[in-house]
Amino acid sequence: MFRNQYDTDVTTWSPQGRLFQVEYAMEAVKQGGCAVGLKSETHVVLATLKRSQSELSSFQRKVFKIDDHMGIAIAGLNGDGRSLCKYMRNECINHRYVYESAMPVGRLVRQIADKSQVCTQRSWKRPYGVGLLVAGVDRQGPHLFNTCPSGNYYEYKAMAIGARSQAAKTYLEKHFESFPAADMDELIRHGLKALQASLAEGELTAANCSVAIVGKGFAFTLLEDAAVQPYVDALKEDEPMQAEEAAAGEAPAAAEAPDEPAGGEAAAAAAEADGGPAPMEAD
Amino acid sequence: MAALGPSYQLGNPITKVHTDAASGEKQHATWSPYDDNGGTVVAVAGEDYCIVAGSTRLSTGFSILTRDASMMLQLTDKVVVASAGMQADRKALHKLLQARNVMYQHNHGRPMSVSAAAQLLSNTLYYKRFFPFYTFNLVAGLDEQGRGAVYNYDAIGSYERSGYFSAGSGKGLVQPVLDNQLKAASPLLLPPRSTITALPLDQAIDLVKDVFVSAGERDIYTGDRVEILIITKEGIRRDELQLKLD
């Protein structure tokens, strides 16, 4: 990718005002398996694509329950993801112990972001190589947050991260206005459809995707394998009806997806010259 | 320094406290960190069920603090911890156990078994070996084979599995009745028999209720109401028994 003299240290600025190590860490997130999150007025749904190392191995876990009212989906370095998951679980347990109530989602996300920022400003540390989609419900209602290695975090109505997430985002952008009123099953269907858009080849099966839901009065529940099969099947039934819409809507999306790696290289060439647009601004 | 004590002096006496102690006159604290808030808990294990019950009266000295306090903590669908003794220590202990329970579920991906919970409680109690929790605990639930399990503890974590047990202010009145009704005819029989009762569930519930009524008659700290949790493979069901309010 980028190769220049300002990218050795996380504490070295480039003349264009960029921290390349942090941006490289965000690349790690983009290389991870796709994860999609979307919320309605009452529920938040996470849908993720699980990868497996080989035919012999199991699929990597991408969704973790943090507490009854909160869970995360990760994209990027799984080890870093697990480490943050452990931290979040601990914080929630301690919060319940001290305050006898559920940890507010935004507060925990902010703590993660602060933790991530520290790693961008110490020469003896490295940034976390994982992006989280945090789905949770608190007294303010359902929330979906995205954290990234830079220490930035945003709240979203719907978001996708990881490989070929642009295709999923395109689907979400097209349909997000119908999410607030959607019921749980519709929300899951949208999530899986968005996920499907990011598939390079093959199709969604109960083995390679997992879905999680959390809502007001609905504890965080992870659906995998047999539990997610009915939703995957329902998706297949929709397919013939939506074939025309797909042909129209997904053509530009499909055109965009293969462009991404090519676009990445073009940006790399540009970066050598003048640094190119910073990833945060490109989106 | 003061005269030598009746037996010997420990080292060099530094203050009056030490010399008094050496002569056998020890000063005692004017304040105790402990208080007994009363109440009785009972647990009975059957072939495929476990009943655990606790009175709901909270008292201090000769006064009633509330008629509506729970002594039990439901950890999972199959495990309940019941604690008699001091309310403050009970609450603190139950909070700790619940936090550890959540941690266990995160790390193991499944709920705690009754034997795991039993060991966890023992370790937690022994952790405070030199400033114990003033709680007299019972762990009740279904074991991995689906049979009833009751574990009884002392204040610092010594524990044993049994078929039934009681703890708290009414223990002295309750335990002999349970021994009479549930224990094998002769304790000299070998091999030692399991004391898990063969009684059907409804009869065991009646026995537990009778035992509380009797305890409520003579123990002033047991009364108001009894909260009964019935653990079966279907889950945990709740029952209540009204007791005299005197």
Side-chain angles (χ1 to χ4, degrees), chain B residues 129-156:
Chain B
R129 170 69 176 80
F130 299 113
F131 184 9
F133 284 109
Y134 196 96
T135 54
F136 303 100
N137 304 284
L138 297 177
V139 169
L142 298 181
D143 66 15
E144 304 281 79
Q145 282 73 47
R147 304 183 75 212
V150 169
Y151 295 85
N152 57 277
Y153 295 75
D154 70 4
I156 51 172

PDB file of all heavy atoms in Angstrom, chain B residues 129-156:
ATOM      1  N   ARG B 129     -11.798 -15.272  55.148  1.00  0.00           N
ATOM      2  CA  ARG B 129     -11.598 -16.152  56.302  1.00  0.00           C
ATOM      3  C   ARG B 129     -11.392 -15.357  57.572  1.00  0.00           C
ATOM      4  O   ARG B 129     -11.837 -15.766  58.634  1.00  0.00           O
ATOM      5  CB  ARG B 129     -10.384 -17.056  56.024  1.00  0.00           C
ATOM      6  CG  ARG B 129      -9.890 -17.858  57.216  1.00  0.00           C
ATOM      7  CD  ARG B 129     -10.864 -18.943  57.614  1.00  0.00           C
ATOM      8  NE  ARG B 129     -10.334 -19.762  58.692  1.00  0.00           N
ATOM      9  CZ  ARG B 129     -10.350 -19.424  59.974  1.00  0.00           C
ATOM     10  NH1 ARG B 129     -10.870 -18.252  60.337  1.00  0.00           N
ATOM     11  NH2 ARG B 129      -9.842 -20.229  60.887  1.00  0.00           N
ATOM     12  N   PHE B 130     -10.743 -14.208  57.491  1.00  0.00           N
ATOM     13  CA  PHE B 130     -10.404 -13.471  58.714  1.00  0.00           C
ATOM     14  C   PHE B 130     -11.293 -12.264  58.956  1.00  0.00           C
ATOM     15  O   PHE B 130     -11.009 -11.436  59.807  1.00  0.00           O
ATOM     16  CB  PHE B 130      -8.910 -13.119  58.696  1.00  0.00           C
ATOM     17  CG  PHE B 130      -8.053 -14.355  58.662  1.00  0.00           C
ATOM     18  CD1 PHE B 130      -7.290 -14.659  57.557  1.00  0.00           C
ATOM     19  CD2 PHE B 130      -8.064 -15.257  59.722  1.00  0.00           C
ATOM     20  CE1 PHE B 130      -6.520 -15.819  57.519  1.00  0.00           C
ATOM     21  CE2 PHE B 130      -7.305 -16.417  59.701  1.00  0.00           C
ATOM     22  CZ  PHE B 130      -6.534 -16.700  58.588  1.00  0.00           C
ATOM     23  N   PHE B 131     -12.372 -12.146  58.192  1.00  0.00           N
ATOM     24  CA  PHE B 131     -13.446 -11.186  58.486  1.00  0.00           C
ATOM     25  C   PHE B 131     -14.669 -11.715  57.752  1.00  0.00           C
ATOM     26  O   PHE B 131     -15.095 -11.151  56.759  1.00  0.00           O
ATOM     27  CB  PHE B 131     -13.043  -9.784  57.983  1.00  0.00           C
ATOM     28  CG  PHE B 131     -14.045  -8.700  58.318  1.00  0.00           C
ATOM     29  CD1 PHE B 131     -15.128  -8.926  59.177  1.00  0.00           C
ATOM     30  CD2 PHE B 131     -13.910  -7.435  57.763  1.00  0.00           C
ATOM     31  CE1 PHE B 131     -16.032  -7.924  59.490  1.00  0.00           C
ATOM     32  CE2 PHE B 131     -14.806  -6.426  58.053  1.00  0.00           C
ATOM     33  CZ  PHE B 131     -15.856  -6.667  58.908  1.00  0.00           C
ATOM     34  N   PRO B 132     -15.208 -12.813  58.253  1.00  0.00           N
ATOM     35  CA  PRO B 132     -16.176 -13.586  57.467  1.00  0.00           C
ATOM     36  C   PRO B 132     -17.469 -12.843  57.136  1.00  0.00           C
ATOM     37  O   PRO B 132     -17.857 -11.886  57.810  1.00  0.00           O
ATOM     38  CB  PRO B 132     -16.502 -14.770  58.386  1.00  0.00           C
ATOM     39  CG  PRO B 132     -15.407 -14.821  59.378  1.00  0.00           C
ATOM     40  CD  PRO B 132     -14.952 -13.417  59.562  1.00  0.00           C
ATOM     41  N   PHE B 133     -18.120 -13.344  56.067  1.00  0.00           N
ATOM     42  CA  PHE B 133     -19.493 -12.965  55.785  1.00  0.00           C
ATOM     43  C   PHE B 133     -20.350 -13.599  56.868  1.00  0.00           C
ATOM     44  O   PHE B 133     -20.253 -14.807  57.104  1.00  0.00           O
ATOM     45  CB  PHE B 133     -19.949 -13.526  54.430  1.00  0.00           C
ATOM     46  CG  PHE B 133     -19.408 -12.797  53.237  1.00  0.00           C
ATOM     47  CD1 PHE B 133     -18.441 -13.387  52.432  1.00  0.00           C
ATOM     48  CD2 PHE B 133     -19.873 -11.541  52.896  1.00  0.00           C
ATOM     49  CE1 PHE B 133     -17.948 -12.728  51.323  1.00  0.00           C
ATOM     50  CE2 PHE B 133     -19.382 -10.869  51.782  1.00  0.00           C
ATOM     51  CZ  PHE B 133     -18.412 -11.480  51.000  1.00  0.00           C
ATOM     52  N   TYR B 134     -21.201 -12.799  57.505  1.00  0.00           N
ATOM     53  CA  TYR B 134     -22.073 -13.369  58.528  1.00  0.00           C
ATOM     54  C   TYR B 134     -23.308 -13.944  57.833  1.00  0.00           C
ATOM     55  O   TYR B 134     -24.423 -13.423  57.969  1.00  0.00           O
ATOM     56  CB  TYR B 134     -22.462 -12.286  59.540  1.00  0.00           C
ATOM     57  CG  TYR B 134     -23.028 -12.829  60.835  1.00  0.00           C
ATOM     58  CD1 TYR B 134     -22.216 -13.007  61.954  1.00  0.00           C
ATOM     59  CD2 TYR B 134     -24.377 -13.159  60.945  1.00  0.00           C
ATOM     60  CE1 TYR B 134     -22.730 -13.494  63.139  1.00  0.00           C
ATOM     61  CE2 TYR B 134     -24.894 -13.637  62.125  1.00  0.00           C
ATOM     62  CZ  TYR B 134     -24.078 -13.809  63.214  1.00  0.00           C
ATOM     63  OH  TYR B 134     -24.597 -14.299  64.399  1.00  0.00           O
ATOM     64  N   THR B 135     -23.061 -14.973  57.029  1.00  0.00           N
ATOM     65  CA  THR B 135     -24.185 -15.591  56.321  1.00  0.00           C
ATOM     66  C   THR B 135     -24.086 -17.093  56.471  1.00  0.00           C
ATOM     67  O   THR B 135     -22.981 -17.650  56.471  1.00  0.00           O
ATOM     68  CB  THR B 135     -24.150 -15.288  54.814  1.00  0.00           C
ATOM     69  OG1 THR B 135     -22.871 -15.673  54.296  1.00  0.00           O
ATOM     70  CG2 THR B 135     -24.393 -13.833  54.511  1.00  0.00           C
ATOM     71  N   PHE B 136     -25.242 -17.736  56.616  1.00  0.00           N
ATOM     72  CA  PHE B 136     -25.301 -19.186  56.713  1.00  0.00           C
ATOM     73  C   PHE B 136     -26.062 -19.664  55.495  1.00  0.00           C
ATOM     74  O   PHE B 136     -27.243 -19.436  55.363  1.00  0.00           O
ATOM     75  CB  PHE B 136     -25.916 -19.573  58.050  1.00  0.00           C
ATOM     76  CG  PHE B 136     -25.115 -18.975  59.176  1.00  0.00           C
ATOM     77  CD1 PHE B 136     -25.523 -17.830  59.803  1.00  0.00           C
ATOM     78  CD2 PHE B 136     -23.887 -19.533  59.528  1.00  0.00           C
ATOM     79  CE1 PHE B 136     -24.734 -17.248  60.793  1.00  0.00           C
ATOM     80  CE2 PHE B 136     -23.098 -18.957  60.513  1.00  0.00           C
ATOM     81  CZ  PHE B 136     -23.520 -17.806  61.147  1.00  0.00           C
ATOM     82  N   ASN B 137     -25.302 -20.256  54.581  1.00  0.00           N
ATOM     83  CA  ASN B 137     -25.787 -20.429  53.214  1.00  0.00           C
ATOM     84  C   ASN B 137     -26.218 -21.842  52.891  1.00  0.00           C
ATOM     85  O   ASN B 137     -25.725 -22.820  53.462  1.00  0.00           O
ATOM     86  CB  ASN B 137     -24.671 -20.050  52.229  1.00  0.00           C
ATOM     87  CG  ASN B 137     -24.163 -18.648  52.452  1.00  0.00           C
ATOM     88  OD1 ASN B 137     -24.799 -17.675  52.102  1.00  0.00           O
ATOM     89  ND2 ASN B 137     -23.005 -18.541  53.081  1.00  0.00           N
ATOM     90  N   LEU B 138     -27.129 -21.874  51.906  1.00  0.00           N
ATOM     91  CA  LEU B 138     -27.502 -23.133  51.268  1.00  0.00           C
ATOM     92  C   LEU B 138     -27.467 -22.889  49.770  1.00  0.00           C
ATOM     93  O   LEU B 138     -27.913 -21.838  49.300  1.00  0.00           O
ATOM     94  CB  LEU B 138     -28.932 -23.547  51.650  1.00  0.00           C
ATOM     95  CG  LEU B 138     -29.255 -23.857  53.093  1.00  0.00           C
ATOM     96  CD1 LEU B 138     -30.741 -24.158  53.235  1.00  0.00           C
ATOM     97  CD2 LEU B 138     -28.452 -25.052  53.584  1.00  0.00           C
ATOM     98  N   VAL B 139     -26.918 -23.844  49.032  1.00  0.00           N
ATOM     99  CA  VAL B 139     -27.017 -23.800  47.575  1.00  0.00           C
ATOM    100  C   VAL B 139     -27.947 -24.937  47.183  1.00  0.00           C
ATOM    101  O   VAL B 139     -27.791 -26.072  47.646  1.00  0.00           O
ATOM    102  CB  VAL B 139     -25.642 -23.996  46.900  1.00  0.00           C
ATOM    103  CG1 VAL B 139     -25.800 -24.210  45.407  1.00  0.00           C
ATOM    104  CG2 VAL B 139     -24.759 -22.788  47.152  1.00  0.00           C
ATOM    105  N   ALA B 140     -28.927 -24.626  46.336  1.00  0.00           N
ATOM    106  CA  ALA B 140     -29.904 -25.642  45.955  1.00  0.00           C
ATOM    107  C   ALA B 140     -30.062 -25.640  44.449  1.00  0.00           C
ATOM    108  O   ALA B 140     -30.003 -24.585  43.809  1.00  0.00           O
ATOM    109  CB  ALA B 140     -31.244 -25.344  46.615  1.00  0.00           C
ATOM    110  N   GLY B 141     -30.272 -26.837  43.870  1.00  0.00           N
ATOM    111  CA  GLY B 141     -30.495 -26.898  42.432  1.00  0.00           C
ATOM    112  C   GLY B 141     -30.562 -28.309  41.928  1.00  0.00           C
ATOM    113  O   GLY B 141     -30.729 -29.250  42.705  1.00  0.00           O
ATOM    114  N   LEU B 142     -30.437 -28.428  40.604  1.00  0.00           N
ATOM    115  CA  LEU B 142     -30.419 -29.751  39.973  1.00  0.00           C
ATOM    116  C   LEU B 142     -29.013 -30.020  39.466  1.00  0.00           C
ATOM    117  O   LEU B 142     -28.405 -29.157  38.833  1.00  0.00           O
ATOM    118  CB  LEU B 142     -31.397 -29.790  38.792  1.00  0.00           C
ATOM    119  CG  LEU B 142     -32.864 -29.559  39.112  1.00  0.00           C
ATOM    120  CD1 LEU B 142     -33.697 -29.651  37.849  1.00  0.00           C
ATOM    121  CD2 LEU B 142     -33.353 -30.578  40.127  1.00  0.00           C
ATOM    122  N   ASP B 143     -28.509 -31.229  39.717  1.00  0.00           N
ATOM    123  CA  ASP B 143     -27.160 -31.535  39.244  1.00  0.00           C
ATOM    124  C   ASP B 143     -27.199 -31.912  37.760  1.00  0.00           C
ATOM    125  O   ASP B 143     -28.252 -31.858  37.115  1.00  0.00           O
ATOM    126  CB  ASP B 143     -26.503 -32.619  40.113  1.00  0.00           C
ATOM    127  CG  ASP B 143     -27.207 -33.970  39.996  1.00  0.00           C
ATOM    128  OD1 ASP B 143     -28.005 -34.176  39.060  1.00  0.00           O
ATOM    129  OD2 ASP B 143     -26.944 -34.829  40.853  1.00  0.00           O
ATOM    130  N   GLU B 144     -26.040 -32.277  37.230  1.00  0.00           N
ATOM    131  CA  GLU B 144     -25.956 -32.547  35.792  1.00  0.00           C
ATOM    132  C   GLU B 144     -26.807 -33.737  35.376  1.00  0.00           C
ATOM    133  O   GLU B 144     -27.161 -33.881  34.218  1.00  0.00           O
ATOM    134  CB  GLU B 144     -24.491 -32.793  35.389  1.00  0.00           C
ATOM    135  CG  GLU B 144     -23.547 -31.663  35.763  1.00  0.00           C
ATOM    136  CD  GLU B 144     -23.599 -30.490  34.814  1.00  0.00           C
ATOM    137  OE1 GLU B 144     -24.536 -29.674  34.917  1.00  0.00           O
ATOM    138  OE2 GLU B 144     -22.703 -30.375  33.968  1.00  0.00           O
ATOM    139  N   GLN B 145     -27.122 -34.607  36.327  1.00  0.00           N
ATOM    140  CA  GLN B 145     -27.996 -35.740  36.008  1.00  0.00           C
ATOM    141  C   GLN B 145     -29.469 -35.414  36.202  1.00  0.00           C
ATOM    142  O   GLN B 145     -30.324 -36.267  35.984  1.00  0.00           O
ATOM    143  CB  GLN B 145     -27.660 -36.963  36.897  1.00  0.00           C
ATOM    144  CG  GLN B 145     -26.435 -37.725  36.453  1.00  0.00           C
ATOM    145  CD  GLN B 145     -25.172 -36.950  36.773  1.00  0.00           C
ATOM    146  OE1 GLN B 145     -25.027 -36.448  37.876  1.00  0.00           O
ATOM    147  NE2 GLN B 145     -24.273 -36.854  35.820  1.00  0.00           N
ATOM    148  N   GLY B 146     -29.749 -34.190  36.648  1.00  0.00           N
ATOM    149  CA  GLY B 146     -31.145 -33.805  36.839  1.00  0.00           C
ATOM    150  C   GLY B 146     -31.692 -34.152  38.211  1.00  0.00           C
ATOM    151  O   GLY B 146     -32.873 -33.944  38.496  1.00  0.00           O
ATOM    152  N   ARG B 147     -30.832 -34.655  39.104  1.00  0.00           N
ATOM    153  CA  ARG B 147     -31.298 -34.977  40.460  1.00  0.00           C
ATOM    154  C   ARG B 147     -31.140 -33.747  41.351  1.00  0.00           C
ATOM    155  O   ARG B 147     -30.296 -32.886  41.109  1.00  0.00           O
ATOM    156  CB  ARG B 147     -30.472 -36.129  41.052  1.00  0.00           C
ATOM    157  CG  ARG B 147     -30.489 -37.369  40.181  1.00  0.00           C
ATOM    158  CD  ARG B 147     -29.728 -38.503  40.854  1.00  0.00           C
ATOM    159  NE  ARG B 147     -30.503 -39.091  41.942  1.00  0.00           N
ATOM    160  CZ  ARG B 147     -29.976 -39.601  43.043  1.00  0.00           C
ATOM    161  NH1 ARG B 147     -28.675 -39.586  43.228  1.00  0.00           N
ATOM    162  NH2 ARG B 147     -30.752 -40.132  43.975  1.00  0.00           N
ATOM    163  N   GLY B 148     -31.958 -33.680  42.391  1.00  0.00           N
ATOM    164  CA  GLY B 148     -31.884 -32.539  43.293  1.00  0.00           C
ATOM    165  C   GLY B 148     -30.552 -32.501  44.037  1.00  0.00           C
ATOM    166  O   GLY B 148     -29.993 -33.539  44.365  1.00  0.00           O
ATOM    167  N   ALA B 149     -30.053 -31.293  44.271  1.00  0.00           N
ATOM    168  CA  ALA B 149     -28.785 -31.123  45.001  1.00  0.00           C
ATOM    169  C   ALA B 149     -28.936 -30.026  46.029  1.00  0.00           C
ATOM    170  O   ALA B 149     -29.471 -28.957  45.726  1.00  0.00           O
ATOM    171  CB  ALA B 149     -27.663 -30.770  44.030  1.00  0.00           C
ATOM    172  N   VAL B 150     -28.487 -30.299  47.245  1.00  0.00           N
ATOM    173  CA  VAL B 150     -28.473 -29.285  48.301  1.00  0.00           C
ATOM    174  C   VAL B 150     -27.067 -29.275  48.881  1.00  0.00           C
ATOM    175  O   VAL B 150     -26.496 -30.342  49.157  1.00  0.00           O
ATOM    176  CB  VAL B 150     -29.495 -29.626  49.410  1.00  0.00           C
ATOM    177  CG1 VAL B 150     -29.282 -28.730  50.628  1.00  0.00           C
ATOM    178  CG2 VAL B 150     -30.913 -29.468  48.894  1.00  0.00           C
ATOM    179  N   TYR B 151     -26.498 -28.091  49.024  1.00  0.00           N
ATOM    180  CA  TYR B 151     -25.188 -27.966  49.669  1.00  0.00           C
ATOM    181  C   TYR B 151     -25.352 -27.053  50.870  1.00  0.00           C
ATOM    182  O   TYR B 151     -26.018 -26.019  50.782  1.00  0.00           O
ATOM    183  CB  TYR B 151     -24.168 -27.341  48.713  1.00  0.00           C
ATOM    184  CG  TYR B 151     -23.843 -28.185  47.500  1.00  0.00           C
ATOM    185  CD1 TYR B 151     -24.634 -28.131  46.356  1.00  0.00           C
ATOM    186  CD2 TYR B 151     -22.725 -29.015  47.487  1.00  0.00           C
ATOM    187  CE1 TYR B 151     -24.336 -28.890  45.241  1.00  0.00           C
ATOM    188  CE2 TYR B 151     -22.415 -29.777  46.373  1.00  0.00           C
ATOM    189  CZ  TYR B 151     -23.229 -29.706  45.249  1.00  0.00           C
ATOM    190  OH  TYR B 151     -22.922 -30.455  44.134  1.00  0.00           O
ATOM    191  N   ASN B 152     -24.735 -27.424  52.006  1.00  0.00           N
ATOM    192  CA  ASN B 152     -24.820 -26.561  53.177  1.00  0.00           C
ATOM    193  C   ASN B 152     -23.429 -26.095  53.595  1.00  0.00           C
ATOM    194  O   ASN B 152     -22.444 -26.807  53.400  1.00  0.00           O
ATOM    195  CB  ASN B 152     -25.520 -27.286  54.328  1.00  0.00           C
ATOM    196  CG  ASN B 152     -24.841 -28.577  54.697  1.00  0.00           C
ATOM    197  OD1 ASN B 152     -25.051 -29.615  54.083  1.00  0.00           O
ATOM    198  ND2 ASN B 152     -23.994 -28.523  55.710  1.00  0.00           N
ATOM    199  N   TYR B 153     -23.369 -24.893  54.169  1.00  0.00           N
ATOM    200  CA  TYR B 153     -22.093 -24.219  54.440  1.00  0.00           C
ATOM    201  C   TYR B 153     -22.013 -23.713  55.865  1.00  0.00           C
ATOM    202  O   TYR B 153     -23.036 -23.418  56.487  1.00  0.00           O
ATOM    203  CB  TYR B 153     -21.959 -22.984  53.537  1.00  0.00           C
ATOM    204  CG  TYR B 153     -21.871 -23.297  52.082  1.00  0.00           C
ATOM    205  CD1 TYR B 153     -23.002 -23.678  51.374  1.00  0.00           C
ATOM    206  CD2 TYR B 153     -20.663 -23.217  51.406  1.00  0.00           C
ATOM    207  CE1 TYR B 153     -22.922 -23.976  50.036  1.00  0.00           C
ATOM    208  CE2 TYR B 153     -20.573 -23.508  50.057  1.00  0.00           C
ATOM    209  CZ  TYR B 153     -21.716 -23.897  49.385  1.00  0.00           C
ATOM    210  OH  TYR B 153     -21.642 -24.188  48.060  1.00  0.00           O
ATOM    211  N   ASP B 154     -20.782 -23.522  56.330  1.00  0.00           N
ATOM    212  CA  ASP B 154     -20.600 -22.697  57.521  1.00  0.00           C
ATOM    213  C   ASP B 154     -20.156 -21.305  57.041  1.00  0.00           C
ATOM    214  O   ASP B 154     -20.069 -21.061  55.831  1.00  0.00           O
ATOM    215  CB  ASP B 154     -19.613 -23.325  58.510  1.00  0.00           C
ATOM    216  CG  ASP B 154     -18.175 -23.313  58.014  1.00  0.00           C
ATOM    217  OD1 ASP B 154     -17.888 -22.765  56.931  1.00  0.00           O
ATOM    218  OD2 ASP B 154     -17.318 -23.880  58.727  1.00  0.00           O
ATOM    219  N   ALA B 155     -19.861 -20.411  58.008  1.00  0.00           N
ATOM    220  CA  ALA B 155     -19.608 -19.016  57.618  1.00  0.00           C
ATOM    221  C   ALA B 155     -18.351 -18.851  56.781  1.00  0.00           C
ATOM    222  O   ALA B 155     -18.209 -17.881  56.051  1.00  0.00           O
ATOM    223  CB  ALA B 155     -19.506 -18.143  58.869  1.00  0.00           C
ATOM    224  N   ILE B 156     -17.407 -19.812  56.881  1.00  0.00           N
ATOM    225  CA  ILE B 156     -16.158 -19.608  56.145  1.00  0.00           C
ATOM    226  C   ILE B 156     -15.979 -20.590  54.991  1.00  0.00           C
ATOM    227  O   ILE B 156     -14.892 -20.726  54.449  1.00  0.00           O
ATOM    228  CB  ILE B 156     -14.926 -19.647  57.073  1.00  0.00           C
ATOM    229  CG1 ILE B 156     -14.937 -20.893  57.943  1.00  0.00           C
ATOM    230  CG2 ILE B 156     -14.882 -18.378  57.914  1.00  0.00           C
ATOM    231  CD1 ILE B 156     -13.645 -21.060  58.715  1.00  0.00           C
TER     232      ILE B 156
END
